[in-house]
Amino acid sequence: MNRINQKLKENKKLLSIYFSAGYPNLNDTVSIIENLEKNGTDMIEIGLPFSDPLADGPTIQASSTQALKNGMTTDVLFNQLKDIRKTVSIPLIIMGYFNPMLQYGVEAFCEKCQEIGIDGLIIPDLPVDVYNDQYKATFEKYGLINVFLITPQTSVERINFIDSISNGFIYMVSSASVTGSNSGFGEEQTAYFKRIADMKLKNPQIVGFGISDNKTFLQATEYAKGAIIGSAFIKHLSKNGTDNIDSFVDTILK
Amino acid sequence: MTYNINDKGYYGEFGGAYIPEMLYPNVEELRQNYLKIMAEPSFKEEFDQLLKDYVGRPSPLYLAKRLSEKYNTKIYLKREDLNHTGAHKINNTIGQILMAQRLGKKRIIAETGAGQHGVATATVCALMGLECIVYMGEIDIARQAPNVARMKMLGATVVPALSGSRTLKDATNEAIRDWINNPVNTHYIIGSVVGPHPYPDMVARFQAVVSEEMQWQLQEKEGKTTPDYVIACVGGGSNAAGAFYHYLENTDVKLIAVEAAGKGVNSGESAATSALGKEGVIHGSKTLLMQTGDGQITEPYSISAGLDYPGIGPMHAHLYKTGRAEFISITDDQAMNAGLELSKLEGIIPAIESSHALAVFEQKKFKPEDVVVLSLSGRGDKDLQNYIDYFNL
């Protein structure tokens, strides 16, 4: 069974952390992943940097830009991760934009992911219908779970469609925003989290965008299976480098 | 073979809507409504009336006698430079502001490179009393001060794009991010035939007035609705899309798309997307774009800010791939000289974008009996400083 599905079966709220591979330094990738696992992170999204990250706010844009300046490429990332399964056992997801994958070759990319032990992909600008028509079979051939996003504006019909073609979890974007742009959740978000929980979808939901501390983690996971932290962790990395990752994870989980 | 868009939003293999889910409701709302709204008699009536009384259409189809003599062929200039705000851009912004009103949107956002589309958007927002926010790369703001001032006079807020290379592609990214953050009340007026479906098709339809007029103007002057050639410059490609539109399926009409070679196609400082680009996804559309082997989008260069875009619209990618249009690249130097030549021969100072199209006459020989229509997409007022610096005027 895919590590993501196994993890989702555990009887706990999951903490997933995103970072841009190659940031703050080109070769920090493996040590960040190992540290996050050691300190209680349940799942990791490894950001494949892109020059034009449309769905990201300033924090992740800046870390992507720096990572590219540091020399990060798809090949470099795959090479850094080639032995990752010797030391890390939690689910690993690559999150990136479609163009770099398209240039690598979608099938070659998926094959490489399987070889390394990547469990899933999140590709914000690969639309659900294109995936379903053109790439679903390839992803499945290499045992990869593709994770789709929903937002407060996503219609019920579309949520049901997305649920029907998902086989891991649904990435629930907390509010109408790019990454890193909110502080705290209000009644509107809580109502949205509850509304989706009440739909009793077959896939569990993990909330992302706007989670930065213990309070927002608890709010997000009141109804959802887990939460994803990205920009807040990148801010931590930009201040502290790869030191004190334990204290960052501790402040989220308390 | 068709050169128009199919019902899935593709021109051949190019196009589509490669957008994050956050944008899906906005784009889907537009996709479901744009053709319906454009077909409403009240929409057509208002669009046509504004194009006539406010923009000053039809734009003349002018037989450029001295230019024709020099190149020993028959050259007509389609005078989009005479439109209000000085270029073809306003055809699209008039259409889209009427679209936004009918969709009930209260807030307008746009991206701009040189500022021409920003000015055209700020203009229609002033006309309709709608809030207007224009994203413009920090570097472009510095090099296009007069257009920034125009937008401000027209009541728009100009927001510097500080990310990435701080030029047009980043301004586009920022506008898209704004739209993600404001999904309900905002309409995004894209300035070219780029972006996710239905934008390329919608913008092409608004610009199609250019070739629609050419047909009856040629009928009057030449006794037939078709020329032998249509020439237009391509950055994103909206003026070319408009000039080609009604001739796309008539292969007797040869189409020439002119790209900016900058300092030379292989100089490393170029914007010749068809020559240098590969298939990929930019700003929500599958098309040809300039990128590294690793799929990172690269920064183009041209002396003309309006051609300085790393992609081309999916319609043009398809025209290139199928060979329906001939693509010619023109360097900075060739364009500047062609701009000076038109000024001296015809008393018309063209925008540097249009000068690229004009430079084709030095590169390609036409027959004396050929009827060649060239889309003179904009006037050169905005480029005066560039011309001054280049020619030491």
Side-chain angles (χ1 to χ4, degrees):
Chain A
M1 186 191 274
N2 185 297
R3 291 179 200 88
I4 295 172
N5 296 120
Q6 270 171 359
K7 180 59 81 176
L8 290 164
K9 284 197 158 70
E10 289 181 15
N11 187 26
K12 62 179 288 207
K13 300 296 185 179
L14 305 179
L15 171 64
S16 183
I17 290 189
Y18 167 96
F19 72 101
S20 304
Y23 178 85
N25 301 298
L26 180 62
N27 292 313
D28 287 339
T29 314
V30 171
S31 80
I32 289 173
I33 294 171
E34 289 175 350
N35 264 298
L36 285 171
E37 176 176 47
K38 197 169 74 189
N39 293 294
T41 303
D42 296 296
M43 189 154 65
I44 296 173
E45 281 146 38
I46 305 163
L48 177 62
F50 182 48
S51 54
D52 295 76
L54 290 180
D56 287 301
T59 304
I60 294 179
Q61 287 170 39
S63 64
S64 295
T65 304
Q66 187 57 47
L68 292 171
K69 276 190 193 147
N70 291 344
M72 182 50 74
T73 67
T74 309
D75 277 324
V76 168
L77 179 62
F78 283 147
N79 200 42
Q80 288 177 344
L81 296 176
K82 68 181 189 311
D83 294 324
I84 197 72
R85 284 304 172 196
K86 289 183 182 159
T87 54
V88 172
S89 60
I90 58 174
L92 298 176
I93 294 172
I94 290 183
M95 181 163 185
Y97 290 82
F98 189 44
N99 197 51
M101 296 177 195
L102 200 57
Q103 297 316 312
Y104 196 89
V106 174
E107 172 139 24
F109 193 95
C110 291
E111 192 177 359
K112 197 75 190 173
C113 284
Q114 184 187 47
E115 189 186 309
I116 289 167
I118 298 295
D119 306 292
L121 296 171
I122 304 176
I123 312 162
D125 60 342
L126 174 61
V128 181
D129 55 333
V130 175
Y131 168 76
N132 204 30
D133 293 348
Q134 295 177 38
Y135 299 114
K136 190 164 185 274
T138 308
F139 278 50
E140 285 172 358
K141 179 176 166 194
Y142 296 102
L144 294 168
I145 285 176
N146 193 25
V147 177
F148 296 106
L149 278 57
I150 63 169
T151 81
Q153 274 72 42
T154 310
S155 69
V156 170
E157 299 75 44
R158 192 160 168 87
I159 292 172
N160 283 323
F161 172 60
I162 287 171
D163 189 41
S164 75
I165 63 165
S166 296
N167 56 354
F169 64 91
I170 288 175
Y171 190 134
M172 213 168 123
V173 175
S174 64
S175 56
S177 73
V178 294
T179 55
S181 43
N182 268 303
S183 51
F185 295 131
E187 276 172 32
E188 203 182 318
Q189 272 98 17
T190 314
Y192 158 62
F193 299 157
K194 183 166 186 312
R195 171 168 69 83
I196 302 300
D198 288 345
M199 287 180 74
K200 309 266 182 248
L201 302 173
K202 80 176 163 78
N203 292 276
Q205 303 94 54
I206 298 191
V207 180
F209 292 39
I211 296 131
S212 58
D213 52 19
N214 178 255
K215 187 179 169 217
T216 42
F217 179 76
L218 292 176
Q219 283 178 316
T221 53
E222 186 182 351
Y223 296 103
K225 178 67 184 167
I228 302 165
I229 296 183
S231 298
F233 181 61
I234 294 193
K235 281 182 191 152
H236 174 88
L237 288 175
S238 75
K239 262 194 217 137
N240 306 287
T242 51
D243 296 334
N244 305 323
I245 286 180
D246 52 342
S247 68
F248 179 82
V249 178
D250 285 351
T251 61
I252 304 298
L253 297 176
K254 290 255 163 114
Chain B
M1 175 73 74
T2 174
Y3 301 100
N4 265 288
I5 199 155
N6 68 22
D7 56 2
K8 291 199 155 174
Y10 285 81
Y11 298 88
E13 63 197 275
F14 300 109
Y18 292 77
I19 46 169
E21 190 61 30
M22 292 82 100
L23 280 179
Y24 181 83
N26 315 20
V27 171
E28 183 61 10
E29 180 186 29
L30 194 60
R31 189 187 69 79
Q32 285 185 3
N33 291 294
Y34 82 109
L35 291 176
K36 239 185 292 176
I37 290 174
M38 285 178 76
E40 285 168 9
S42 69
F43 181 93
K44 288 166 77 97
E45 194 181 316
E46 197 175 353
F47 183 57
D48 291 346
Q49 177 259 318
L50 283 169
L51 288 184
K52 178 166 176 278
D53 298 337
Y54 188 71
V55 176
R57 303 203 71 93
S59 69
L61 186 71
Y62 164 70
L63 175 60
K65 283 207 185 92
R66 297 188 67 208
L67 193 68
S68 298
E69 251 165 55
K70 164 139 198 215
Y71 291 104
N72 195 26
T73 188
K74 199 166 196 183
I75 302 170
Y76 285 97
L77 302 177
K78 180 60 175 159
R79 300 289 309 273
E80 292 301 299
D81 61 314
L82 294 176
N83 292 341
H84 180 42
T85 73
H88 69 290
K89 291 287 186 190
I90 191 108
N91 303 329
N92 170 44
T93 61
I94 292 272
Q96 285 207 47
I97 201 82
L98 297 177
M99 182 70 62
Q101 284 182 321
R102 278 157 180 80
L103 292 169
K105 306 295 178 182
K106 304 287 180 229
R107 182 175 174 273
I108 300 297
I109 55 172
E111 84 295 339
T112 197
Q116 290 305 104
H117 173 60
V119 168
T121 303
T123 298
V124 297
C125 287
L127 179 68
M128 299 301 175
L130 291 178
E131 184 187 359
C132 181
I133 295 109
V134 179
Y135 289 90
M136 187 169 185
E138 193 183 29
I139 289 177
D140 291 333
I141 287 180
R143 30 180 207 198
Q144 307 288 343
N147 272 343
V148 175
R150 283 186 189 101
M151 287 185 269
K152 287 182 178 165
M153 271 191 83
L154 293 161
T157 305
V158 180
V159 181
L162 305 172
S163 61
S165 50
R166 293 172 290 147
T167 58
L168 175 58
K169 86 176 167 73
D170 309 285
T172 309
N173 292 340
E174 289 305 329
I176 291 174
R177 289 179 187 121
D178 180 304
W179 212 19
I180 288 174
N181 289 327
N182 298 283
V184 181
N185 68 341
T186 298
H187 177 73
Y188 176 19
I189 300 190
I190 293 184
S192 192
V193 287
V194 301
H197 177 66
Y199 276 103
D201 185 49
M202 180 172 70
V203 176
R205 285 169 188 267
F206 288 139
Q207 292 293 358
V209 64
V210 175
S211 48
E212 191 185 309
E213 289 172 2
M214 273 157 53
Q215 289 179 305
W216 62 258
Q217 288 170 323
L218 282 169
Q219 180 66 45
E220 279 179 13
K221 291 172 201 293
E222 293 289 327
K224 57 174 190 173
T225 57
T226 54
D228 296 295
Y229 289 90
V230 182
I231 305 177
C233 62
V234 173
S238 66
N239 106 81
F244 295 168
Y245 194 86
H246 289 282
Y247 300 117
L248 283 172
E249 309 293 346
N250 181 352
T251 49
D252 291 342
V253 180
K254 298 177 202 70
L255 309 176
I256 299 178
V258 186
E259 290 183 309
K263 295 181 178 168
V265 170
N266 297 312
S267 65
E269 292 181 80
S270 177
T273 305
S274 70
L276 299 169
K278 277 194 311 178
E279 192 178 306
V281 171
I282 182 171
H283 298 140
S285 181
K286 188 186 260 191
T287 186
L288 294 171
L289 62 132
M290 291 168 57
Q291 52 185 315
T292 66
D294 198 43
Q296 309 296 338
I297 298 169
T298 53
E299 188 58 17
Y301 163 81
S302 164
I303 194 168
S304 150
L307 302 181
D308 203 352
Y309 183 70
I312 48 174
M315 173 200 282
H316 299 297
H318 183 55
L319 296 179
Y320 175 74
K321 190 88 184 260
T322 56
R324 173 68 186 94
E326 179 182 1
F327 278 65
I328 294 179
S329 19
I330 293 296
T331 64
D332 289 356
D333 292 338
Q334 291 165 341
M336 295 304 274
N337 286 313
L340 186 63
E341 181 180 79
L342 187 75
S343 308
K344 296 214 190 281
L345 285 178
E346 298 288 348
I348 298 169
I349 301 176
I352 299 176
E353 290 80 9
S354 315
S355 297
H356 282 74
L358 289 160
V360 163
F361 294 114
E362 282 289 338
Q363 305 303 313
K364 186 180 169 77
K365 193 113 183 71
F366 296 91
K367 293 199 278 285
E369 64 273 23
D370 282 339
V371 172
V372 181
V373 177
L374 183 141
S375 172
L376 198 73
S377 56
R379 70 176 85 127
D381 307 27
K382 70 181 177 63
D383 295 317
L384 209 52
Q385 193 57 51
N386 268 322
Y387 282 124
I388 290 168
D389 293 345
Y390 188 87
F391 291 112
N392 290 315
L393 299 171

